[in-house]
Amino acid sequence: MLTEERHQLIRDRLAADGKVLAGELASRFGVSEDTVRRDLRELAKAGQLRRVYGGAVTSAPFAAATLSQRSRHAVEEKTRLARAAVGLLSAGQSLFIDGGTTNEAIARALPRDIQLTVATNSLGVASALTDLPLVELIVLGGRYVPDLGTCVGSDTLAAVAQLGADLFFLGSCGLDAARGVTAFDSAEAEVKRAMAKNSAGIVIAVTNDKLATAAPYRVAGADAIRHLVVEKTAPPVTLAAFQSQGAQVHFA
Amino acid sequence: MLTEERHQLIRDRLAADGKVLAGELASRFGVSEDTVRRDLRELAKAGQLRRVYGGAVTSAPFAAATLSQRSRHAVEEKTRLARAAVGLLSAGQSLFIDGGTTNEAIARALPRDIQLTVATNSLGVASALTDLPLVELIVLGGRYVPDLGTCVGSDTLAAVAQLGADLFFLGSCGLDAARGVTAFDSAEAEVKRAMAKNSAGIVIAVTNDKLATAAPYRVAGADAIRHLVVEKTAPPVTLAAFQSQGAQVHFA
DNA sequence: CCGTTTCTTGCATAAACAGGCAAAACATGC
DNA sequence: GCATGTTTTGCCTGTTTATGCAAGAAACGG
């Protein structure tokens, strides 16, 4: 049994069950618990899972936290990212903006005098845009998921399908040069895919803690990213991997 | 059973029920009550719940700051109306709620422990409902009209057409026994008509200043009103006209 | 007021953990 | 083939963590 083989099986099992037990994996793989622990440590270091006493759980840095707690996290960083992301816009453009606290920060950072057409499935983004006089706002309805703060489901997909946008501000849950953009939720990923399909370019603004992490559901490949907005302290190695796939990197 | 797993289950249960009991959790998890108490203590320290004697409850619901500046007008009256209107509900019902400050007040007045399915095209109503754990929220998307705070247009109509409700909380612009319910905007009236068509009963809560007034666009006849919630000071003559057409009148 | 329940604290135990070490497997260069 | 270096793995050692139990404190309900 190869080390890499075990790693893959651990990832699979984690995606399926949401958790793994060190002892159980050891007997299943026929190796010592020490080896399994080493595996788990490495995968945790790569951000592919979260290590807990007795095993590991899915690497949802914030999946456990509620929306209100998430928005408190790294407020200044997200505001800086938001200002940089807004700089990518020009008047008259049409945008998709999906959920996530970073995207809400972007919505709040928009200047009052810019003319845009924005379609969003995030109530937070929508609320932030209601005050802007020159923004034509299209709300993408559907089943509302409190944990995400967004609408998902077939209604949302149908609404997205009728629209097109110049840019898609993708609220990324996980971002990895090899695995691309990934999401924690199947329905959420579906909506993101639909938005990506109907937009000319994808913009992703992320804090460092989301770089080089991945979630179960794939949204798009890294080569689909046109603009990547990151913190100044983002590891250059990681960024280079995205740049080589065509992404323009912007520092906040 | 991992510690983290228990924590997640506690969070889930808290989101669903709003409270948890230490003893119940202990037997459910198959651990001692001490362990559960330790779990609760940790989660409380992380701000994810509020510890109370015997168990825990959801942490202080954060204030929903929304776009209700104009709703300063007659706040007390609308809150009273809202409380009376909420009394008409029973668990398990499905509702349409459209826009207007009175309907937002009704949404805010809903108790945390009621199970409902609510479809709304008002961002204010939707925001107020996002915190309620037992409410399944369906957002009716479409073109957002800042002046109304609601979504209208063909997308909205299409979404409404796919749904049905027991009650429709109609935010009325004008209400007159002879001319029925009327609205100021054509697109708005269209959505209201669609909601009225797909619901079993219409509920209207109005302040006195809207009684016996009318706007250009007709939504429904006065005979379509099942429940009319009004202030105690509403003129009896006007109310009698509605009652004679089948409306039940409720005083706030 | 008192009895009951619930809570905290301290302690003991067993499990899980990280780090060091050496043997085995593997690759590399001569 | 042989020597050398690297990687992987299991085992050992001391440390940390989770848990249950017991005893005292605090909160609740009459």
Side-chain angles (χ1 to χ4, degrees):
Chain A
M1 156 105 38
L2 267 47
T3 306
E4 190 52 39
E5 205 176 341
R6 283 200 312 274
H7 285 199
Q8 190 53 50
L9 288 171
I10 291 172
R11 277 189 288 258
D12 291 347
R13 193 160 185 86
L14 211 49
D17 298 351
K19 64 149 190 178
V20 290
L21 303 177
E24 188 197 335
L25 291 175
S27 62
R28 172 178 297 265
F29 295 155
V31 297
S32 75
E33 295 199 11
D34 300 75
T35 302
V36 171
R37 273 191 276 271
R38 262 184 281 254
D39 290 340
L40 294 180
R41 225 181 302 172
E42 286 172 33
L43 289 169
K45 198 166 186 177
Q48 306 195 359
L49 53 78
R50 192 159 60 86
R51 193 75 171 79
V52 298
Y53 200 87
V57 296
T58 48
S59 154
F62 311 118
T66 64
L67 206 58
S68 62
Q69 287 164 335
R70 250 181 309 188
S71 59
R72 256 199 297 275
H73 178 261
V75 182
E76 315 79 28
E77 284 85 348
K78 284 176 181 172
T79 307
R80 271 198 297 274
L81 286 177
R83 274 197 288 264
V86 165
L88 300 173
L89 294 173
S90 45
Q93 283 184 318
S94 56
L95 315 177
F96 279 123
I97 305 183
D98 81 334
T101 52
T102 307
N103 275 343
E104 290 184 24
I106 291 173
R108 279 193 298 272
L110 286 173
R112 285 189 67 82
D113 58 356
I114 190 168
Q115 193 266 310
L116 293 170
T117 302
V118 178
T120 184
N121 64 328
S122 157
L123 284 189
V125 171
S127 295
L129 297 176
T130 51
D131 283 339
L132 301 184
L134 300 183
V135 168
E136 173 161 359
L137 174 60
I138 296 163
V139 178
L140 302 166
R143 183 169 52 84
Y144 178 80
V145 183
D147 286 349
L148 303 173
T150 57
C151 296
V152 300
S154 57
D155 291 345
T156 316
L157 292 173
V160 172
Q162 293 188 337
L163 298 168
D166 299 315
L167 291 176
F168 169 25
F169 283 77
L170 201 167
S172 162
C173 299
L175 195 53
D176 182 270
R179 302 188 58 189
V181 187
T182 47
F184 289 115
D185 183 272
S186 161
E188 188 190 9
E190 245 181 329
V191 173
K192 287 175 195 286
R193 275 195 291 267
M195 288 181 173
K197 184 180 160 201
N198 288 7
S199 50
I202 295 180
V203 182
I204 299 186
V206 285
T207 47
N208 285 348
D209 57 343
K210 284 183 189 156
L211 277 175
T213 67
Y217 299 95
R218 182 184 171 87
V219 174
D223 57 333
I225 303 171
R226 182 187 295 183
H227 298 284
L228 185 60
V229 182
V230 296
E231 303 179 53
K232 283 198 185 68
T233 56
V237 172
T238 310
L239 299 179
F242 287 104
Q243 281 173 314
S244 70
Q245 294 190 61
Q248 281 184 40
V249 173
H250 308 265
F251 293 98
Chain B
M1 156 104 45
L2 286 116
T3 307
E4 187 58 34
E5 215 176 341
R6 283 199 312 273
H7 286 195
Q8 187 56 51
L9 289 171
I10 291 172
R11 278 187 287 257
D12 290 348
R13 192 159 185 86
L14 211 50
D17 297 353
K19 64 157 190 178
V20 290
L21 302 176
E24 187 198 335
L25 291 175
S27 61
R28 173 178 296 265
F29 295 154
V31 297
S32 75
E33 296 198 10
D34 301 77
T35 302
V36 170
R37 274 190 271 270
R38 261 185 279 254
D39 289 339
L40 295 179
R41 225 181 303 167
E42 286 173 33
L43 290 170
K45 198 167 186 177
Q48 306 194 358
L49 52 78
R50 194 160 58 83
R51 193 76 172 78
V52 295
Y53 200 86
V57 296
T58 49
S59 56
F62 55 98
T66 49
L67 61 151
S68 42
Q69 293 310 319
R70 59 187 164 162
S71 67
R72 238 201 308 273
H73 176 257
V75 183
E76 313 80 26
E77 285 84 347
K78 283 177 181 172
T79 307
R80 270 200 297 275
L81 287 176
R83 273 198 287 265
V86 165
L88 300 173
L89 295 173
S90 44
Q93 283 183 318
S94 56
L95 315 177
F96 280 123
I97 305 183
D98 81 334
T101 52
T102 307
N103 275 343
E104 288 184 25
I106 290 172
R108 279 193 298 272
L110 285 174
R112 282 189 69 81
D113 59 355
I114 191 168
Q115 193 266 311
L116 292 170
T117 302
V118 178
T120 184
N121 64 328
S122 157
L123 285 189
V125 171
S127 295
L129 296 177
T130 52
D131 282 338
L132 302 184
L134 301 183
V135 168
E136 173 161 359
L137 174 59
I138 297 163
V139 178
L140 303 165
R143 183 170 52 85
Y144 179 78
V145 183
D147 287 347
L148 304 172
T150 57
C151 296
V152 300
S154 58
D155 291 343
T156 317
L157 291 174
V160 172
Q162 293 188 337
L163 298 168
D166 298 315
L167 291 176
F168 169 26
F169 283 76
L170 200 167
S172 163
C173 299
L175 195 54
D176 182 90
R179 302 188 54 190
V181 187
T182 48
F184 288 114
D185 182 271
S186 160
E188 187 190 10
E190 244 182 329
V191 173
K192 287 176 196 285
R193 275 196 292 268
M195 288 182 174
K197 184 181 160 201
N198 287 7
S199 50
I202 296 179
V203 181
I204 300 185
V206 286
T207 47
N208 286 348
D209 57 342
K210 285 184 187 155
L211 277 174
T213 66
Y217 297 95
R218 179 186 171 88
V219 174
D223 58 331
I225 303 171
R226 184 186 294 183
H227 297 284
L228 185 61
V229 183
V230 296
E231 302 179 54
K232 283 199 183 67
T233 55
V237 172
T238 311
L239 299 180
F242 286 104
Q243 280 174 314
S244 70
Q245 293 189 62
Q248 281 183 40
V249 173
H250 307 266
F251 293 98

